[in-house]
């Protein structure tokens, strides 16, 4: 295949898959790594693509995720959110001290905790309200300023609060995840809490559906390699799979549960 035609095909392939690894491109187009690197560099210089860990991705400013009201987000991808929460719940055992983040996926965990005896720290107002009938759930609120768009509490005094508790497992939400921007959030009020929770917890679980990949919010609250378990509903691209494997992140596909 002549060079110009090959580069055009590579361009189409990247646009279709959003992000791909160099190894995947080598396999698909049957060329050497040096050739792929030169072709990718040429595409990057056109300013439509960007280099990411082990590969290349579409450079798209529209991938920025905005802060949307909780009710608007809750009605989207409901099936995916439920099966992701179900997959995450299998890691929660009686006696655990856990953190449940604000979010329209993490709120679904309540359905799978009704029969478990756990202590839950949370800034998730909806979780607190829905947990009221279940005496087996000991719920501790982070408190702070109510962020109405996310139905969650925000504050600048999280560090001292969290240091009082030995959080075993944190179940985190995200506006979007990318290899360049990490695990992100659209609400500045929540980002400090999220960072502190990930740093404080023994294990961190990130619950995201496939639509969150290659998107990013206003603030990064941790890098992807800070996450111990990534729970999603579809297999991510080869670029993400290679990153996940290289950083010893455990990938859990909800569809397999």
């Amino acid at each position: 295949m002549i060079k110009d035609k090959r580069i055009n095909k590579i361009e189409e392939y990247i646009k279709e898959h959003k992000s791909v690894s160099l190894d995947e491109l080598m396999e698909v187009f049957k060329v050497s790594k040096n050739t792929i690197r030169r072709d990718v560099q040429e595409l990057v210089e056109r300013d439509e693509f960007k280099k990411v860990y082990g590969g290349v991705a579409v450079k798209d400013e529209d991938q920025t995720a905005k802060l949307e009201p909780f009710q608007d987000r809750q009605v989207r991808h409901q099936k995916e959110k439920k099966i992701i929460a179900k997959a995450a719940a299998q890691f929660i055992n009686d006696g655990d001290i856990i953190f449940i983040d604000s979010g329209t996926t993490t709120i679904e965990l309540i359905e799978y905790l009704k029969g478990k005896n756990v202590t839950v720290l949370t800034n998730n107002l909806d979780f607190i309200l829905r947990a009221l009938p279940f005496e087996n759930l000991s719920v501790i609120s982070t408190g702070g300023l109510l962020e109405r768009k996310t139905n969650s509490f925000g504050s600048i005094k999280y560090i001292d609060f969290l240091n009082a508790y030995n959080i075993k497992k944190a179940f985190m939400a995200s506006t979007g995840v990318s290899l360049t921007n990490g695990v992100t959030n659209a609400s500045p009020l929540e980002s400090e809490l999220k960072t502190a929770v990930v740093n404080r917890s023994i294990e961190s679980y990130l619950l995201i559906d496939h639509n969150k990949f290659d998107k990013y919010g206003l603030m990064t609250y941790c890098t992807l390699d800070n996450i111990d378990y990534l729970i999603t509903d579809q297999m991510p691209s080869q670029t993400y799979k290679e990153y996940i494997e290289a950083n010893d992140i455990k990938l859990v596909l909800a569809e397999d549960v």
Side-chain angles (χ1 to χ4, degrees):
M1 186 183 300
I2 62 173
K3 179 182 176 182
D4 288 345
K5 184 177 180 181
R6 182 180 66 247
I7 289 179
N8 288 337
K9 291 289 185 182
I10 292 172
E11 181 179 7
E12 292 173 3
Y13 190 86
I14 298 170
K15 286 181 177 178
E16 179 184 354
H17 292 82
K18 303 301 182 186
S19 67
V20 296
S21 69
L22 297 183
D23 289 341
E24 182 178 353
L25 292 174
M26 285 170 55
E27 178 66 26
V28 171
F29 294 97
K30 308 299 181 186
V31 293
S32 70
K33 198 156 197 172
N34 285 337
T35 299
I36 281 297
R37 281 175 175 155
R38 288 194 296 268
D39 290 350
V40 164
Q41 182 60 36
E42 187 169 325
L43 289 171
V44 168
E45 289 173 359
R46 297 179 185 178
D47 208 33
E48 291 184 24
F49 304 97
K50 60 186 177 183
K51 290 182 179 179
V52 296
Y53 178 88
V56 60
V58 175
K59 186 178 182 181
D60 187 354
E61 294 301 323
D62 291 333
Q63 296 301 94
T64 305
K66 305 294 191 298
L67 179 61
E68 299 178 84
F70 183 91
Q71 291 78 9
D72 292 350
R73 291 180 287 117
Q74 192 171 32
V75 298
R76 294 200 298 266
H77 311 299
Q78 287 182 312
K79 178 182 177 182
E80 291 89 340
K81 291 171 182 177
K82 290 180 184 298
I83 63 172
I84 290 169
K86 183 178 181 180
Q90 70 176 324
F91 296 100
I92 302 174
N93 303 311
D94 283 346
D96 279 349
I97 300 173
I98 66 175
F99 178 86
I100 294 182
D101 196 9
S102 63
T104 56
T105 302
T106 49
I107 184 61
E108 298 297 337
L109 280 167
I110 186 68
E111 295 301 317
Y112 307 101
L113 296 181
K114 294 176 180 179
K116 297 184 179 184
N117 293 289
V118 294
T119 298
V120 182
L121 283 79
T122 186
N123 65 328
N124 190 327
L125 177 60
D126 287 82
F127 185 91
I128 294 168
L129 295 174
R130 289 171 63 175
L132 284 174
F134 308 109
E135 295 183 3
N136 54 299
L137 299 178
S138 298
V139 181
I140 303 170
S141 169
T142 61
L145 180 67
L146 177 63
E147 169 62 85
R148 286 176 171 79
K149 280 193 174 182
T150 59
N151 283 15
S152 66
F153 293 106
S155 174
I156 60 172
K157 298 181 179 179
Y158 291 125
I159 304 300
D160 291 341
F161 172 84
L162 291 172
N163 283 340
Y165 297 95
N166 297 312
I167 304 172
K168 186 172 184 181
K169 301 164 185 174
F171 296 86
M172 307 301 296
S174 176
T175 301
V177 173
S178 74
L179 297 181
T180 51
N181 294 298
V183 186
T184 65
N185 179 54
S187 172
L189 280 176
E190 296 180 346
S191 290
E192 183 184 5
L193 168 64
K194 293 174 186 286
T195 299
V197 166
V198 171
N199 290 337
R200 179 67 179 163
S201 303
I202 297 173
E203 295 176 344
S204 295
Y205 298 73
L206 181 62
L207 283 59
I208 54 170
D209 63 66
H210 66 278
N211 295 282
K212 298 290 182 67
F213 287 97
D214 287 322
K215 292 185 172 63
Y216 53 91
L218 178 65
M219 303 182 75
T220 296
Y221 69 83
C222 73
T223 56
L224 189 54
D225 60 0
N226 288 140
I227 297 298
D228 299 296
Y229 291 79
L230 195 159
I231 306 176
T232 187
D233 60 306
Q234 291 184 19
M235 183 67 72
S237 71
Q238 184 65 26
T239 307
Y240 281 94
K241 286 194 291 183
E242 290 176 3
Y243 182 94
I244 289 166
E245 183 177 349
N247 290 280
D248 294 323
I249 302 168
K250 296 176 179 64
L251 177 65
V252 179
L253 291 183
E255 61 186 4
D256 293 338
V257 177

